[in-house]
Amino acid sequence: MCGIVGLVGEIVVSDLIEGLEKLEYRGYDSAGVAFLRDSSLCVEKNKGRVASLKEKLSELLNERITLGIAHTRWATHGEPNDINAHPHTDCQSKLCVVHNGIIENFKELKKRLEEVGHRFGSDTDTEVIPHLIEEYYTTDLVEAVRKAVKLLEGSFAIAVIHVDHPDIIVGTRKGSPLILTVGNGVAGIASDVTPLLKYSKDMVFLEDGDIFCVSKGGFEVFDVVGRKKERKPTHIDWTYETAQKSGYKHYMLKEIFEEPSCVAATLSGRIKSAKVHLPEIEELQDLLASSKTLKVVACGTSSYAALSFKYFLENLSDVCVDVEVSSEFRYKRPNFDENTVLVAVSQSGETADTLESVRLAKSKGAKVLAITNVVGSTLMRESDHTLLLNAGPEISVAATKSYVTQLVLLYLLGLKIVELRDQWNERCTKLIDSLLRLPEVLDATLSRTEHIKEVALKYKDFQHFMYIGRGLGYPTALEGALKLKEISYIHATAYPAGELKHGPIALLGPEFPVFAIAPFDALYAKMKNNMIECKARKAKLVVLTSDDCEDVREIADDVLSVNSFSEQLYPVLMAPVIQLFAYYIADALGHDPDKPKNLAKSVTVE
Ligand code: M6R
């Protein structure tokens, strides 16, 4: 996955760099820019992060330009080096291209182009694009792009500039996101909205097959046969400031501290007269009231939010919630039909396996409900109905506030389903009350950050960690282990505590600590037995519990605690604790938690 940005209008070189900095979460092994200066193309690119590119361009940062494109890369074809970094040019260095995605038939195209005299300099799949456009170019850049695109197979979002056209950016998308905006004196395109927010909040979410031409005064969209298409902007409420670090050392830390306000935004307008109000799913009501099974697909952290939803809803109703990771679901024989509701959970709304699962489900007539954070994302556009997290932009690769808001929104959905199935009872009314109090109780969890940091630092030098939990504590354990491994690179694994004796306990010892999710709930007594077993193996024990648990200090080496609260809501209250624990370890080890190695924010390829 890569990030692309293009700006046209009254800009300076550093505007392009600033745009790239917003997209660096999408890939950061090399970066580059191209802009027009004195009617010639100026291209700078290098291996490494945007910061080194910025340094290379330091003399030019305030230079006024009218047009430029930029790219931050996560290598798929060709190792990350200066040559393979984007932008890529044609033989005459008259046009330049940035690309996000994969051109699957690049080998055949490259061979054909070489046969007619094109010379290639890189190992990338992308380089066929400028050469193909060069091949078709006479005077009309849109026409040349249109003809070139017809030959491309795979997924792509592309932006092109040409020296003969100093006031337009042309491009297209298929399978990779691309957003366009026209603001006051500046128009832009980008892989997500964050680099564009400073120019306008009205965003056009381009659709697959769209070919666009944007100038500072406006834009046009065509289909692949050249017919004009109407594309209306969507107004985005996110502000430019929410996409900044605001004094925090990392986006991850800032995003954890935003959790109380994000949860308030997720809840806003969705609880009325002590019942859940979700007008977005009105058309699904009959199915949700009658289906025996609800299917849920997601990846990574989103799949752990989905698993919590399963425990939550199955405990309150007679519906069976079938949760699967999308990368498995999409290759299975579909055993569902038009009476099935598939809930697809994805923060970004661009995760390739989740999108393919949605397509499979739709091909069988199932109704798809998306739970996403990104307005206009592919998931939102391809689903029948959408519930938005309203968490604001999440920049850090590590999912934090999106996880917490997914839990809250899925719980709201769960309560709605309980109501639709006539299974509402006193517990549900109490849960509504507790949900409304969440922002304030999450604040209380965050007020314990110093203690969480202190405990985390004691464990930073261990090579392994075992997370355990029961019931709703189990998905929390899975998420705790994922967070720790993805940002600190410490090996962490998670098990339902009752499974320990079936194998994993063999690993435990003084070098292999245990992180137990053990609130004082209905399963605490069972958890206590498991924790005693761990201690008997001389494993260090960190216990994440609730304030009403009195005896845990007798067994734990370290105790982390949250306010005593509704049992079902502990996954929400405990989320910041497992996130901060992982964050402080990663930071102490000198790793950048916002950009963990080998990972990207949205996994738009299989
Ligand atoms: O955008 P999505 O929610 O579909 O992303 C799913 C996973 O790729 C994501 O949650 C991943 O596991 C994160 N790195 C976790 O922090």
Side-chain angles (χ1 to χ4, degrees):
M1 190 179 74
C2 307
I4 65 181
V5 54
L7 297 173
V8 48
E10 288 137 36
I11 53 165
V12 289
V13 172
S14 66
D15 289 323
L16 289 166
I17 299 293
E18 203 183 298
L20 279 191
E21 284 166 344
K22 296 271 168 309
L23 295 178
E24 223 182 348
Y25 70 87
R26 302 177 63 87
Y28 30 84
D29 59 35
S30 46
V33 287
F35 49 86
L36 290 185
R37 196 164 161 246
D38 304 328
S39 307
S40 62
L41 203 54
C42 180
V43 182
E44 257 327 325
K45 51 190 196 172
N46 60 228
K47 180 178 174 186
R49 298 209 165 170
V50 175
S52 22
L53 180 71
K54 189 173 181 180
E55 213 176 300
K56 226 171 162 180
L57 286 165
S58 56
E59 307 270 286
L60 288 177
L61 288 176
N62 294 321
E63 186 96 352
R64 291 212 156 271
I65 51 170
T66 54
L67 174 77
I69 52 177
H71 188 268
T72 178
R73 178 169 187 247
W74 191 46
T76 54
H77 292 71
E79 64 173 281
N81 60 28
D82 292 1
I83 292 173
N84 290 333
H86 298 211
H88 289 284
T89 50
D90 62 336
C91 294
Q92 304 173 66
S93 293
K94 289 191 113 187
L95 73 95
C96 230
V97 170
V98 287
H99 163 223
N100 169 32
I102 293 174
I103 306 300
E104 284 162 5
N105 59 337
F106 85 99
K107 283 199 179 130
E108 300 92 279
L109 292 173
K110 188 170 177 177
K111 191 162 168 274
R112 273 164 56 188
L113 287 160
E114 280 174 334
E115 279 163 9
V116 295
H118 289 264
R119 297 173 314 282
F120 285 76
S122 77
D123 304 319
T124 62
D125 52 338
T126 301
E127 206 186 346
V128 297
I129 306 170
H131 290 280
L132 264 183
I133 299 171
E134 180 181 32
E135 192 60 23
Y136 289 116
Y137 180 74
T138 48
T139 55
D140 186 341
L141 186 58
V142 177
E143 186 62 9
V145 169
R146 197 174 65 74
K147 285 182 173 156
V149 162
K150 276 186 175 170
L151 299 180
L152 301 179
E153 287 169 19
S155 65
F156 42 84
I158 296 166
V160 188
I161 57 171
H162 195 296
V163 280
D164 295 346
H165 302 276
D167 46 14
I168 55 167
I169 302 176
V170 177
T172 185
R173 66 151 280 178
K174 184 188 146 207
S176 298
L178 201 58
I179 291 117
L180 183 157
T181 195
V182 179
N184 251 347
V186 178
I189 54 101
S191 302
D192 79 24
V193 298
T194 51
L196 306 177
L197 283 169
K198 84 180 219 194
Y199 306 108
S200 167
K201 287 193 187 172
D202 294 317
M203 305 288 169
V204 177
F205 294 88
L206 292 165
E207 295 182 14
D208 276 356
D210 283 356
I211 294 164
F212 70 86
C213 175
V214 63
S215 68
K216 73 173 180 181
F219 70 94
E220 286 183 308
V221 176
F222 307 91
D223 67 12
V224 79
V225 291
R227 282 179 303 222
K228 264 198 170 183
K229 291 271 166 201
E230 175 107 3
R231 292 287 173 258
K232 292 230 163 69
T234 306
H235 188 75
I236 300 286
D237 281 333
W238 296 1
T239 63
Y240 185 65
E241 290 66 38
T242 52
Q244 309 291 312
K245 261 191 233 165
S246 313
Y248 285 92
K249 185 169 180 191
H250 295 104
Y251 282 111
M252 179 175 176
L253 193 58
K254 176 193 171 225
E255 287 161 7
I256 294 171
F257 274 85
E258 283 173 350
E259 285 169 3
S261 59
C262 293
V263 166
T266 306
L267 290 169
S268 174
R270 285 175 165 153
I271 295 181
K272 289 189 177 166
S273 313
K275 285 280 164 66
V276 175
H277 179 65
L278 295 174
E280 301 93 323
I281 58 165
E282 227 164 80
E283 283 174 32
L284 285 179
Q285 290 197 357
D286 289 347
L287 274 180
L288 292 173
S290 58
S291 303
K292 280 203 177 97
T293 308
L294 193 61
K295 299 229 173 244
V296 191
V297 289
C299 298
T301 292
S302 299
S303 75
Y304 302 143
L307 192 58
S308 305
F309 173 61
K310 174 183 169 73
Y311 278 92
F312 178 81
L313 183 53
E314 288 184 348
N315 189 256
L316 289 175
S317 75
D318 61 352
V319 70
C320 168
V321 184
D322 203 355
V323 178
E324 268 196 87
V325 289
S326 315
S327 52
E328 289 299 314
F329 179 90
R330 64 176 285 196
Y331 296 112
K332 288 171 87 174
R333 192 175 65 86
N335 55 354
F336 50 86
D337 53 25
E338 60 280 356
N339 295 317
T340 307
V341 176
L342 178 96
V343 182
V345 189
S346 170
Q347 183 283 135
S348 62
E350 300 295 344
T351 298
D353 286 323
T354 303
L355 292 175
E356 282 307 324
S357 301
V358 164
R359 288 169 193 145
L360 172 71
K362 288 198 79 175
S363 73
K364 298 287 160 200
K367 293 281 170 296
V368 177
L369 169 60
I371 307 270
T372 185
N373 194 30
V374 182
V375 180
S377 57
T378 310
L379 178 63
M380 180 170 178
R381 281 182 287 111
E382 294 195 14
S383 300
D384 300 296
H385 308 277
T386 298
L387 291 171
L388 285 166
L389 299 178
N390 298 331
E394 189 176 70
I395 312 287
S396 175
V397 166
T400 54
K401 61 178 180 173
S402 64
Y403 171 64
V404 168
T405 50
Q406 278 168 351
L407 287 170
V408 172
L409 190 50
L410 284 164
Y411 282 11
L412 287 174
L413 174 66
L415 287 168
K416 184 79 212 171
I417 293 171
V418 174
E419 184 196 337
L420 291 170
R421 298 172 87 89
D422 282 334
Q423 288 166 335
W424 192 271
N425 58 29
E426 192 50 30
R427 277 167 76 204
C428 303
T429 309
K430 282 195 180 136
L431 273 166
I432 290 280
D433 184 51
S434 299
L435 278 164
L436 287 169
R437 286 174 48 219
L438 266 177
E440 149 212 347
V441 194
L442 269 169
D443 261 332
T445 303
L446 288 169
S447 71
R448 304 177 186 203
T449 297
E450 265 317 300
H451 177 61
I452 301 167
K453 179 176 177 181
E454 218 172 273
V455 174
L457 295 184
K458 283 166 78 173
Y459 290 86
K460 73 176 174 38
D461 294 320
F462 283 94
Q463 303 294 309
H464 307 278
F465 243 104
M466 171 86 72
Y467 281 70
I468 55 169
R470 281 177 182 262
L472 271 165
Y474 172 50
T476 307
L478 285 164
E479 175 57 9
L482 176 64
K483 216 79 305 162
L484 185 66
K485 72 184 130 197
E486 76 173 328
I487 62 170
S488 74
Y489 318 141
I490 292 172
H491 165 240
T493 183
Y495 279 92
E499 276 292 293
L500 276 179
K501 282 200 276 302
H502 299 282
I505 201 165
L507 292 165
L508 298 184
E511 300 307 319
F512 207 128
V514 173
F515 194 115
I517 313 295
F520 194 57
D521 61 10
L523 294 169
Y524 178 72
K526 299 279 171 208
M527 273 304 292
K528 187 174 174 186
N529 289 339
N530 297 127
M531 294 190 288
I532 290 169
E533 282 159 15
C534 296
K535 278 315 296 172
R537 269 75 191 175
K538 301 205 172 2
K540 290 250 176 234
L541 183 64
V542 183
V543 184
L544 174 50
T545 187
S546 47
D547 290 348
D548 49 357
C549 187
E550 280 163 12
D551 60 356
V552 74
R553 282 168 213 278
E554 294 160 18
I555 27 175
D557 291 281
D558 286 286
V559 176
L560 299 168
S561 187
V562 297
N563 283 25
S564 311
F565 207 53
S566 297
E567 288 188 11
Q568 290 92 333
L569 296 185
Y570 280 132
V572 183
L573 279 200
M574 291 185 165
V577 183
I578 53 171
Q579 294 163 354
L580 288 166
F581 185 81
Y583 170 80
Y584 283 114
I585 290 183
D587 188 42
L589 294 176
H591 305 310
D592 179 351
D594 289 341
K595 301 181 189 105
K597 66 179 181 197
N598 306 335
L599 294 179
K601 184 71 182 162
S602 338
V603 185
T604 55
V605 289
E606 282 182 34

